[in-house]
Amino acid sequence: MNLSDNMMPGKTGGAAPRAEKKPVIGVTASWATRDSLRCVDTPNDYVQSVEMGGGLPVVVPLRTDVADASRYAALLDGLVMTGGVEDVHPLFYGENPIVELNSVMPERDNWETALMKAVLDLNKPVLAICRGMQLMNAAFGGTLYQHLPAQVKNVQGHCPEGLPMHYLWHRVNFEPGSMVHGLFNKDQIRVNSFHHQAVKEPAPGFKVCARSEDGIIEAMESTIHRFAVGIQWHPETLAGLYPQFITPFSALTRACLAN
């Protein structure tokens, strides 16, 4: 079977919405050290995917003063919460760390939570990807699996080693009638996968939109906010090869323009 056969755009299409104004969409960043210098760091795939979706991307640096979150939120029309190598700190959702927990960055947890909530308080849309989805869930009262192989019986592989990020890895099945289901216009698709944590209990006010075949939550959306969508896989690394994966970013752009 040609894996690309079931990835072609559905009726919703992958093309960016036409608009005279491009909404300003923030892309969150972490810290990285290069040549002993602390740098603002975010993968360019997020920036390119926002552009492909019709938005004007602006990288938002990680700040330690959460009081500035509301000022950034006022400048943005929408927000992409990016993934990353840092685990969400389990104390953030009321648990102690298990042995398999990786590195954490509480500064990033605190800043991105404040920024996300400030954006949503202004009725502006948020798209949260991988770690971003996990943080969104924890920030609103949900819980996470700290390490899937240690905490879920018979779990399939969700974090392959050494695999290029644009390779499709496993299937996800959509919940009929959800917004995310409508974006992809298919009941099942194949996705990439690079996570060892995942949503365990969805936060109040959020519903599950998709699961992998072993039952792991792969997408969620808010029933309270106008547009607060979480996706566990990485559509930003697939959008250039499979137009179907532009749809979350074009939907974000449309939501920004409709505000």
Side-chain angles (χ1 to χ4, degrees):
M1 183 184 72
N2 186 339
L3 293 184
S4 64
D5 288 347
N6 71 335
M7 303 313 304
M8 294 305 293
K11 294 180 181 180
T12 55
R18 294 182 179 180
E20 294 181 0
K21 176 188 176 183
K22 289 185 177 182
V24 178
I25 298 176
V27 178
T28 62
S30 186
W31 290 326
T33 300
R34 296 186 180 91
D35 297 326
S36 301
L37 297 174
R38 176 174 282 183
C39 302
V40 174
D41 182 69
T42 199
N44 192 54
D45 283 341
Y46 292 104
V47 172
Q48 289 183 320
S49 294
V50 169
E51 291 177 334
M52 293 171 68
L56 184 68
V58 174
V59 175
V60 180
L62 196 167
R63 302 291 308 282
T64 55
D65 187 355
V66 297
D68 287 337
S70 60
R71 301 183 68 179
Y72 277 94
L75 298 171
L76 302 174
D77 296 309
L79 180 68
V80 174
M81 299 269 287
T82 63
V85 297
E86 309 91 358
D87 290 342
V88 177
H89 200 306
L91 294 180
F92 202 64
Y93 47 95
E95 295 184 8
N96 285 313
I98 65 173
V99 173
E100 293 85 357
L101 189 73
N102 288 341
S103 62
V104 296
M105 186 181 288
E107 298 92 341
R108 186 176 182 188
D109 295 341
N110 293 332
W111 169 248
E112 292 190 358
T113 295
L115 179 63
M116 172 189 63
K117 289 187 173 182
V119 169
L120 291 174
D121 284 347
L122 294 176
N123 201 31
K124 298 178 179 180
V126 174
L127 174 63
I129 295 173
C130 196
R131 181 190 191 278
M133 170 175 154
Q134 296 163 11
L135 182 61
M136 174 184 279
N137 188 62
F140 284 101
T143 60
L144 305 178
Y145 291 113
Q146 295 185 41
H147 186 64
L148 287 171
Q151 295 182 300
V152 180
K153 187 176 181 180
N154 297 324
V155 70
Q156 298 173 357
H158 286 264
C159 193
E161 294 184 10
L163 196 71
M165 289 194 71
H166 63 275
Y167 280 16
L168 303 177
W169 186 242
H170 66 70
R171 299 181 183 90
V172 298
N173 298 298
F174 292 109
E175 294 290 332
S178 66
M179 183 196 309
V180 178
H181 181 222
L183 293 181
F184 290 92
N185 199 33
K186 296 180 183 294
D187 294 333
Q188 183 187 87
I189 63 172
R190 292 175 182 265
V191 301
N192 56 4
S193 185
F194 292 91
H195 64 104
H196 81 112
Q197 296 197 313
V199 170
K200 181 165 58 175
E201 292 293 334
F206 283 81
K207 68 176 182 180
V208 176
C209 301
R211 292 181 185 270
S212 55
E213 294 185 333
D214 54 356
I216 300 302
I217 296 172
E218 292 281 341
M220 58 188 288
E221 64 191 44
S222 174
T223 61
I224 300 172
H225 305 96
R226 184 169 63 88
F227 187 105
V229 173
I231 293 177
Q232 183 58 70
W233 66 90
H234 284 272
E236 79 284 356
T237 67
L238 298 172
L241 293 173
Y242 305 105
Q244 182 101 358
F245 289 105
I246 302 172
T247 55
F249 300 95
S250 56
L252 177 67
T253 294
R254 288 192 294 271
C256 292
L257 293 171
N259 193 15

